[in-house]
Amino acid sequence: MTYAHYIAGEWVTDDAVSININPSNIDDIVGEFSRGDAARVDEAVAAANAAQPDWAAASPQLRHDVLEKASNLITSRKDELGRLLSREEGKTLAEGIGETMRAAQVFKFFAGEAIRNVGDAVASIRPGIDVTVEREAVGTIGLITPWNFPIAIPAWKLAPALAYGNAVVMKPAELTPGCAWELAKILHEAGCPTGVFNLVMGPGSTVGARIVEHPGIDAISFTGSVATGNTIAVQCASTGKRVQMEMGGKNPLVVVDDADLDVAVATAINGAFFSTGQRCTASSRLIVTAGIHDAFLEKLTSAAANLIVGDALDAATQIGPVVDQKQLDQNLRYLKLASNEGCDVRGGELANGPGFFMKPAIFAGATNQMTVSREEIFGPMASVIKVADYDEALAVANDTEFGLSAGICTTSLRYASDFRKKAQAGMVMVNLPTAGVDYHVPFGGRKGSSYGPREQGSYAREFYTIVKTSYIAP
Ligand code: ADP
C-alpha cells in the first residue's frame, strides 16, 4: 500500500514514493509515502482557497467540534500513534506516547480557543461613532514541519490555524510523514470539511518550495533548520506573506557553585541527551562555574555512560537512535571536530545494532569560541564550558547567535532572578532542562532562533489571525 496525499477531501496517490525507514532497524520499512510535486501543491492550494471562506464564516462551534473530536481520536489511539512515532523518528516509546498526548492536548486547547476569539469594542474619539477591533482568519496557511516532533509540531501549527478559520496546506518532513498522514485521517474522521485541510508529502526543494512561492498561500509557519528558514523568510517577504519561523538553538544550561549537584546532573542529562539530543531546545552548552565544575563533570560523565542506548521500542531504552545516516555522519564530523579543537571527548562511540545508534558524548574542556559550541549539532552531544563565576556564566550563555531557551541550576534566588531577567532567550528554565515546555504558553526564541510571532497558547492567535478595525456611525 502507498500512503496517499489528502487533497480536497480525497486520498490521492503518486507513483513516486519516499520510503520511511525505522532508524532503530533499517530493515523495517514503516511505509511508502506518495512523493508529490508542484502540481499537487497547486491542487491542494486551489482546494484550500475554495473551502476557506465558508470555514471562516461557520459557527465557531463547528470548528470547536472538529478540533475536539480530533483530540479525542488522538487520545483513543495514543499507544498506536506513539508507537508509530517512535518507529519512524526513533525517540523512545514513552517519549512517543507523551508527544502524541501533547498533540491531543493541543487540539483540545484550540477547540476552546475557537470559541474564545474575542475582540474589542472601543469608544471612538469622535462622538457618536463606535469602533471595534476584531480578529479574522488570515486565509490559506502553508505549514512546513520538521522530523523531530512528527506529531506535536504539526498539531501545534494545525490546531490554531483551523481554530481561527484558516484553511491549511501542510507538508511534513520526508523522514517522518507517518504521523502527519494519521493526523490527516483523524481530521477526515473528525468531520473537517472538504478542502479545509490538505496534506501534500514530498521533498522540501519541490513541494516545500512551491508552497512558499504559491500566490494562493497567505502565510507560512515553518520549523526547521536555520539555513532553510532564512531562505523561506526572504522569499515570503518578497511575496508579502506573513511568516512564523522556528529554527535552531544552542541553548545554555548554567550550573552555579551553589546548585544541587544531583539536580544539575539530572537536568543536564535530560536536556542534552533525551530525544537523542534532536531538539531545538536541547541543552548543548553546559556552562559550569569553577567550584562545582569537576564534581559536575565527573558525575555527568558516569551518568551519561550509564544511559541505555537502543531500539526506541524497547522499554529499557533511554536514548533511541539518531534519525538517519546523514544526521549520524554529521554527528561524527562534529565529534571529530571537538577532538581537533582540543576537547576531551567522553563517549560518542557507535553502538552495535541494526540502527543508527550512538552513545551520548560530552565535550569536556570546551570553550565557547569553539565551532562545536557555536553551531547547532542536533545530536546527543554537549560542550562543558568552565567559567570563573556567575557573571562570566551569564556572559557566555548570552554569547551566541541563538536565543531559544536558557537554563540555570542554582539554589540562590538572587542568581535565579538575575538570570531570568538577563538571559537573552525566549524561554528561561530554573532548575529545569532547557527542553520540555507546556502547551498553553508561548513557545519561541530571540535572535537567530525565531522570526515572527510566537507559537502555542493564546499567543498563537497573533499569527493565525489578522486584525480588522471597523468604524460605525449609526
Ligand atoms: P532538517 O535539516 O532538520 O530536516 P530542514 O530545514 O531541511 O531541516 O527541513 C525542515 C522542513 O523544511 C522539511 O519539511 C523540509 O522538507 C522543508 N524544506 C527544506 N527545504 C525547503 C525549501 N527550500 N523550501 C521549503 N521547504 C523546505
Side-chain angles (χ1 to χ4, degrees), residues 369-413:
Q369 299 314 316
M370 292 175 178
T371 305
V372 290
S373 302
R374 303 208 77 82
E375 295 181 359
E376 183 177 50
I377 299 178
F378 228 64
M381 286 169 271
S383 297
V384 177
I385 301 167
K386 185 175 177 180
V387 291
D389 54 20
Y390 169 76
D391 289 338
E392 188 185 352
L394 175 67
V396 168
N398 285 336
D399 178 12
T400 165
E401 67 183 81
F402 297 106
L404 188 54
S405 182
I408 186 167
C409 288
T410 179
T411 52
S412 150
L413 184 58

Short mmCIF file of all heavy atoms in Angstrom, two decimals, residues 369-413:
data_model
loop_
_atom_site.label_atom_id
_atom_site.label_comp_id
_atom_site.label_asym_id
_atom_site.label_seq_id
_atom_site.Cartn_x
_atom_site.Cartn_y
_atom_site.Cartn_z
N GLN A 369 34.14 29.62 22.25
CA GLN A 369 34.51 30.08 20.90
C GLN A 369 34.65 28.93 19.92
O GLN A 369 34.68 29.14 18.70
CB GLN A 369 35.83 30.87 20.94
CG GLN A 369 35.78 32.12 21.81
CD GLN A 369 34.52 32.95 21.55
OE1 GLN A 369 34.13 33.18 20.41
NE2 GLN A 369 33.86 33.38 22.63
N MET A 370 34.76 27.72 20.41
CA MET A 370 34.93 26.56 19.50
C MET A 370 33.69 26.40 18.62
O MET A 370 32.57 26.67 19.06
CB MET A 370 35.13 25.28 20.31
CG MET A 370 36.43 25.24 21.07
SD MET A 370 36.48 23.74 22.11
CE MET A 370 38.11 23.90 22.82
N THR A 371 33.90 25.90 17.41
CA THR A 371 32.78 25.68 16.49
C THR A 371 31.75 24.75 17.11
O THR A 371 30.55 24.94 16.94
CB THR A 371 33.32 25.08 15.17
OG1 THR A 371 34.32 25.96 14.68
CG2 THR A 371 32.23 24.93 14.13
N VAL A 372 32.20 23.74 17.87
CA VAL A 372 31.25 22.79 18.46
C VAL A 372 30.37 23.46 19.53
O VAL A 372 29.33 22.91 19.91
CB VAL A 372 31.94 21.54 19.07
CG1 VAL A 372 32.50 20.66 17.96
CG2 VAL A 372 32.99 21.92 20.09
N SER A 373 30.79 24.64 20.00
CA SER A 373 29.98 25.37 20.98
C SER A 373 29.15 26.47 20.32
O SER A 373 28.40 27.17 20.99
CB SER A 373 30.86 26.00 22.06
OG SER A 373 31.63 25.02 22.71
N ARG A 374 29.35 26.64 19.02
CA ARG A 374 28.64 27.74 18.35
C ARG A 374 27.57 27.25 17.37
O ARG A 374 26.54 27.89 17.20
CB ARG A 374 29.63 28.66 17.63
CG ARG A 374 30.69 29.23 18.59
CD ARG A 374 31.24 30.56 18.17
NE ARG A 374 30.32 31.65 18.46
CZ ARG A 374 30.19 32.24 19.65
NH1 ARG A 374 30.90 31.84 20.69
NH2 ARG A 374 29.35 33.23 19.82
N GLU A 375 27.85 26.12 16.72
CA GLU A 375 26.88 25.63 15.72
C GLU A 375 25.93 24.62 16.34
O GLU A 375 26.34 23.82 17.19
CB GLU A 375 27.63 24.98 14.54
CG GLU A 375 28.47 26.00 13.78
CD GLU A 375 29.21 25.39 12.60
OE1 GLU A 375 29.12 24.17 12.35
OE2 GLU A 375 29.92 26.18 11.92
N GLU A 376 24.69 24.63 15.88
CA GLU A 376 23.75 23.63 16.35
C GLU A 376 24.12 22.27 15.77
O GLU A 376 24.30 22.15 14.56
CB GLU A 376 22.32 24.00 15.92
CG GLU A 376 21.31 23.02 16.46
CD GLU A 376 19.88 23.40 16.11
OE1 GLU A 376 19.62 23.67 14.93
OE2 GLU A 376 19.04 23.42 17.03
N ILE A 377 24.25 21.26 16.62
CA ILE A 377 24.67 19.93 16.15
C ILE A 377 23.47 19.02 15.94
O ILE A 377 23.39 18.26 15.01
CB ILE A 377 25.68 19.30 17.15
CG1 ILE A 377 26.93 20.20 17.27
CG2 ILE A 377 26.05 17.90 16.72
CD1 ILE A 377 27.97 19.72 18.25
N PHE A 378 22.49 19.09 16.82
CA PHE A 378 21.27 18.29 16.73
C PHE A 378 21.54 16.81 16.95
O PHE A 378 21.00 15.94 16.26
CB PHE A 378 20.58 18.51 15.37
CG PHE A 378 19.10 18.77 15.53
CD1 PHE A 378 18.64 19.89 16.19
CD2 PHE A 378 18.16 17.88 15.03
CE1 PHE A 378 17.28 20.13 16.36
CE2 PHE A 378 16.80 18.11 15.19
CZ PHE A 378 16.36 19.24 15.86
N GLY A 379 22.39 16.53 17.92
CA GLY A 379 22.68 15.15 18.27
C GLY A 379 22.93 15.05 19.77
O GLY A 379 22.92 16.06 20.47
N PRO A 380 23.19 13.82 20.28
CA PRO A 380 23.37 13.64 21.72
C PRO A 380 24.77 14.07 22.17
O PRO A 380 25.58 13.25 22.58
CB PRO A 380 23.15 12.14 21.89
CG PRO A 380 23.61 11.56 20.60
CD PRO A 380 23.31 12.56 19.53
N MET A 381 25.04 15.36 22.07
CA MET A 381 26.38 15.88 22.37
C MET A 381 26.26 17.23 23.05
O MET A 381 25.38 18.01 22.70
CB MET A 381 27.17 16.07 21.08
CG MET A 381 27.62 14.76 20.48
SD MET A 381 28.25 14.96 18.81
CE MET A 381 26.77 14.76 17.91
N ALA A 382 27.14 17.48 24.03
CA ALA A 382 27.11 18.78 24.70
C ALA A 382 28.51 19.21 25.09
O ALA A 382 29.33 18.39 25.52
CB ALA A 382 26.23 18.71 25.95
N SER A 383 28.78 20.52 24.94
CA SER A 383 30.04 21.10 25.40
C SER A 383 29.92 21.36 26.90
O SER A 383 28.88 21.81 27.37
CB SER A 383 30.28 22.45 24.73
OG SER A 383 30.41 22.31 23.33
N VAL A 384 31.01 21.10 27.64
CA VAL A 384 31.06 21.54 29.04
C VAL A 384 32.09 22.67 29.10
O VAL A 384 33.28 22.46 28.80
CB VAL A 384 31.44 20.39 29.99
CG1 VAL A 384 31.56 20.91 31.42
CG2 VAL A 384 30.39 19.29 29.92
N ILE A 385 31.62 23.86 29.44
CA ILE A 385 32.46 25.07 29.39
C ILE A 385 32.67 25.56 30.82
O ILE A 385 31.71 25.90 31.52
CB ILE A 385 31.76 26.16 28.54
CG1 ILE A 385 31.51 25.63 27.11
CG2 ILE A 385 32.57 27.44 28.53
CD1 ILE A 385 30.57 26.49 26.29
N LYS A 386 33.94 25.59 31.24
CA LYS A 386 34.23 26.01 32.62
C LYS A 386 34.38 27.53 32.67
O LYS A 386 35.08 28.11 31.82
CB LYS A 386 35.54 25.33 33.07
CG LYS A 386 35.91 25.59 34.50
CD LYS A 386 37.16 24.75 34.82
CE LYS A 386 37.66 24.97 36.21
NZ LYS A 386 38.85 24.16 36.51
N VAL A 387 33.73 28.15 33.64
CA VAL A 387 33.84 29.61 33.80
C VAL A 387 34.14 29.93 35.27
O VAL A 387 33.95 29.09 36.15
CB VAL A 387 32.52 30.33 33.39
CG1 VAL A 387 32.28 30.24 31.90
CG2 VAL A 387 31.32 29.77 34.16
N ALA A 388 34.61 31.18 35.50
CA ALA A 388 35.06 31.54 36.85
C ALA A 388 33.87 31.68 37.81
O ALA A 388 33.91 31.17 38.93
CB ALA A 388 35.86 32.85 36.80
N ASP A 389 32.84 32.37 37.38
CA ASP A 389 31.76 32.71 38.32
C ASP A 389 30.45 32.96 37.57
O ASP A 389 30.41 32.84 36.33
CB ASP A 389 32.17 33.95 39.13
CG ASP A 389 32.56 35.11 38.23
OD1 ASP A 389 32.18 35.11 37.03
OD2 ASP A 389 33.25 36.03 38.70
N TYR A 390 29.42 33.33 38.31
CA TYR A 390 28.10 33.54 37.71
C TYR A 390 28.14 34.62 36.62
O TYR A 390 27.51 34.44 35.56
CB TYR A 390 27.07 33.90 38.79
CG TYR A 390 25.78 34.39 38.16
CD1 TYR A 390 24.89 33.49 37.58
CD2 TYR A 390 25.50 35.76 38.09
CE1 TYR A 390 23.74 33.94 36.95
CE2 TYR A 390 24.34 36.21 37.46
CZ TYR A 390 23.46 35.30 36.89
OH TYR A 390 22.33 35.74 36.25
N ASP A 391 28.84 35.71 36.87
CA ASP A 391 28.85 36.81 35.88
C ASP A 391 29.42 36.33 34.54
O ASP A 391 28.89 36.65 33.48
CB ASP A 391 29.66 38.00 36.41
CG ASP A 391 28.91 38.72 37.53
OD1 ASP A 391 27.67 38.57 37.60
OD2 ASP A 391 29.58 39.39 38.34
N GLU A 392 30.49 35.57 34.62
CA GLU A 392 31.06 35.05 33.36
C GLU A 392 30.10 34.04 32.73
O GLU A 392 29.93 34.01 31.50
CB GLU A 392 32.43 34.40 33.62
CG GLU A 392 33.13 34.04 32.29
CD GLU A 392 34.45 33.28 32.47
OE1 GLU A 392 34.94 33.15 33.61
OE2 GLU A 392 34.97 32.81 31.43
N ALA A 393 29.45 33.24 33.56
CA ALA A 393 28.49 32.25 33.04
C ALA A 393 27.38 32.94 32.25
O ALA A 393 27.01 32.51 31.15
CB ALA A 393 27.89 31.43 34.19
N LEU A 394 26.85 34.02 32.82
CA LEU A 394 25.78 34.76 32.14
C LEU A 394 26.27 35.32 30.80
O LEU A 394 25.57 35.22 29.78
CB LEU A 394 25.28 35.90 33.05
CG LEU A 394 24.24 36.82 32.42
CD1 LEU A 394 22.92 36.07 32.18
CD2 LEU A 394 24.00 38.03 33.33
N ALA A 395 27.48 35.89 30.82
CA ALA A 395 28.02 36.47 29.58
C ALA A 395 28.20 35.39 28.52
O ALA A 395 27.85 35.59 27.34
CB ALA A 395 29.34 37.18 29.88
N VAL A 396 28.72 34.24 28.93
CA VAL A 396 28.94 33.14 27.97
C VAL A 396 27.58 32.61 27.48
O VAL A 396 27.40 32.34 26.28
CB VAL A 396 29.78 32.02 28.63
CG1 VAL A 396 29.76 30.76 27.78
CG2 VAL A 396 31.21 32.50 28.85
N ALA A 397 26.62 32.49 28.38
CA ALA A 397 25.30 31.99 27.99
C ALA A 397 24.70 32.86 26.88
O ALA A 397 24.13 32.35 25.91
CB ALA A 397 24.36 31.97 29.20
N ASN A 398 24.89 34.17 27.00
CA ASN A 398 24.31 35.08 26.01
C ASN A 398 25.18 35.27 24.77
O ASN A 398 24.73 35.87 23.79
CB ASN A 398 24.05 36.45 26.65
CG ASN A 398 22.83 36.41 27.58
OD1 ASN A 398 21.95 35.57 27.42
ND2 ASN A 398 22.79 37.34 28.54
N ASP A 399 26.40 34.76 24.82
CA ASP A 399 27.31 34.94 23.68
C ASP A 399 27.06 33.85 22.64
O ASP A 399 27.78 32.86 22.54
CB ASP A 399 28.76 34.89 24.19
CG ASP A 399 29.76 35.02 23.05
OD1 ASP A 399 29.34 35.37 21.92
OD2 ASP A 399 30.95 34.75 23.27
N THR A 400 25.99 34.03 21.89
CA THR A 400 25.59 33.06 20.86
C THR A 400 24.67 33.77 19.89
O THR A 400 24.01 34.75 20.26
CB THR A 400 24.85 31.85 21.49
OG1 THR A 400 24.18 31.11 20.46
CG2 THR A 400 23.81 32.28 22.51
N GLU A 401 24.62 33.26 18.67
CA GLU A 401 23.71 33.89 17.69
C GLU A 401 22.26 33.44 17.89
O GLU A 401 21.35 33.95 17.27
CB GLU A 401 24.17 33.60 16.27
CG GLU A 401 24.05 32.16 15.87
CD GLU A 401 24.58 31.88 14.47
OE1 GLU A 401 25.82 31.74 14.32
OE2 GLU A 401 23.76 31.79 13.54
N PHE A 402 22.07 32.44 18.79
CA PHE A 402 20.73 31.92 19.02
C PHE A 402 20.12 32.48 20.30
O PHE A 402 20.81 33.10 21.09
CB PHE A 402 20.77 30.38 19.11
CG PHE A 402 21.23 29.73 17.84
CD1 PHE A 402 22.50 29.18 17.73
CD2 PHE A 402 20.38 29.66 16.75
CE1 PHE A 402 22.91 28.57 16.56
CE2 PHE A 402 20.79 29.06 15.56
CZ PHE A 402 22.06 28.51 15.47
N GLY A 403 18.85 32.21 20.53
CA GLY A 403 18.20 32.69 21.76
C GLY A 403 16.87 32.00 22.01
O GLY A 403 15.86 32.66 22.25
N LEU A 404 16.88 30.67 21.95
CA LEU A 404 15.60 29.97 22.12
C LEU A 404 15.29 29.74 23.60
O LEU A 404 14.36 30.32 24.15
CB LEU A 404 15.63 28.65 21.35
CG LEU A 404 14.30 27.88 21.27
CD1 LEU A 404 13.19 28.74 20.73
CD2 LEU A 404 14.45 26.63 20.41
N SER A 405 16.10 28.91 24.25
CA SER A 405 15.84 28.56 25.65
C SER A 405 17.15 28.69 26.42
O SER A 405 18.23 28.45 25.86
CB SER A 405 15.32 27.12 25.70
OG SER A 405 15.02 26.74 27.01
N ALA A 406 17.07 29.09 27.70
CA ALA A 406 18.27 29.20 28.54
C ALA A 406 17.91 28.72 29.93
O ALA A 406 16.86 29.08 30.46
CB ALA A 406 18.77 30.64 28.57
N GLY A 407 18.80 27.89 30.52
CA GLY A 407 18.50 27.34 31.83
C GLY A 407 19.59 27.64 32.84
O GLY A 407 20.74 27.94 32.48
N ILE A 408 19.20 27.57 34.12
CA ILE A 408 20.18 27.73 35.20
C ILE A 408 19.84 26.75 36.31
O ILE A 408 18.67 26.55 36.63
CB ILE A 408 20.21 29.19 35.73
CG1 ILE A 408 21.34 29.36 36.74
CG2 ILE A 408 18.88 29.61 36.33
CD1 ILE A 408 21.66 30.83 37.08
N CYS A 409 20.88 26.13 36.88
CA CYS A 409 20.70 25.32 38.08
C CYS A 409 21.37 26.05 39.23
O CYS A 409 22.59 26.27 39.20
CB CYS A 409 21.32 23.93 37.90
SG CYS A 409 20.37 22.91 36.77
N THR A 410 20.59 26.43 40.21
CA THR A 410 21.10 27.18 41.36
C THR A 410 20.12 27.03 42.51
O THR A 410 18.93 26.76 42.28
CB THR A 410 21.26 28.68 41.00
OG1 THR A 410 21.74 29.39 42.14
CG2 THR A 410 19.94 29.32 40.57
N THR A 411 20.61 27.21 43.73
CA THR A 411 19.68 27.27 44.88
C THR A 411 19.55 28.71 45.37
O THR A 411 18.97 28.97 46.41
CB THR A 411 20.18 26.37 46.03
OG1 THR A 411 21.54 26.71 46.30
CG2 THR A 411 20.07 24.90 45.67
N SER A 412 20.14 29.64 44.62
CA SER A 412 20.12 31.05 45.03
C SER A 412 19.03 31.81 44.28
O SER A 412 19.01 31.83 43.05
CB SER A 412 21.49 31.67 44.74
OG SER A 412 21.36 33.03 44.46
N LEU A 413 18.16 32.45 45.03
CA LEU A 413 17.11 33.26 44.42
C LEU A 413 17.73 34.42 43.65
O LEU A 413 17.24 34.84 42.61
CB LEU A 413 16.17 33.77 45.52
CG LEU A 413 14.97 34.57 45.03
CD1 LEU A 413 14.12 33.76 44.07
CD2 LEU A 413 14.12 35.01 46.22
#
